[in-house]
Amino acid sequence: MRFDRLSPHLVKTLYAAKEMALKLDKQQIESLYLLKVMVEQPEGIIPAVLNKLNVDLNQLLITIDDNIEKLPKIYGTGIHDPDLSSELERIFTVSFDKLKRFDDKFMNCGHILLVMSESQENAGIILRQFGLNRDTLFQVITEIYRTKPDITFH
């Protein structure tokens, strides 16, 4: 992964997702951890987007937590730094490809959320359960930046 192409906020968010994986004794950084961290960041664009779409953030977090609990844990000595799950790896790969279309220099949480919404796995399934799809998210993200050009696209 090209960390030099990630926004500072996304690097911080990814690190928090890694810390969550370690704390929960998980062997991989799952898309659900990254989604949870993005939703919980009050200064980020993701809560602003979800609020504009009238998503119940508390219910979304409960659903994410319920799904996190179902993921396998690792125990014992020799626990290593968690790697990205195959789903999260795909999300980042697709996000990097789409970054070129946006003519953006750095990938951010908005890019990740758009691609997550298209995933056929954990994060994407949950986002669609809450009525969130790529087109709707893209429209709201674009609207936020048109009306608030000073906001940082985390």
Side-chain angles (χ1 to χ4, degrees), residues 111-127:
H111 296 114
I112 296 294
L113 186 67
L114 290 173
V115 175
M116 271 185 182
S117 70
E118 298 174 316
S119 173
Q120 298 303 310
E121 297 182 56
N122 298 321
I125 292 168
I126 290 172
L127 290 171

Side-chain angles (χ1 to χ4, degrees), residues 2-70:
R2 300 223 17 224
F3 283 93
D4 62 319
R5 299 291 308 274
L6 304 181
S7 72
H9 186 79
L10 181 54
V11 171
K12 175 182 158 187
T13 303
L14 186 56
Y15 183 75
K18 178 181 176 180
E19 290 298 310
M20 183 184 303
L22 288 169
K23 180 180 175 186
L24 296 172
D25 296 320
K26 305 293 184 173
Q27 59 187 356
Q28 294 183 322
I29 305 169
E30 299 286 346
S31 63
L32 293 175
Y33 308 155
L34 192 59
L35 180 59
K36 179 179 171 77
V37 172
M38 291 190 309
V39 171
E40 290 180 329
Q41 294 175 328
E43 77 283 1
I45 189 170
I46 304 309
V49 169
L50 298 176
N51 283 326
K52 190 156 184 72
L53 291 168
N54 297 315
V55 173
D56 182 338
L57 296 183
N58 290 328
Q59 190 57 50
L60 177 58
L61 288 168
I62 289 169
T63 302
I64 293 169
D65 286 338
D66 288 348
N67 281 271
I68 286 173
E69 281 299 314
K70 296 175 186 174

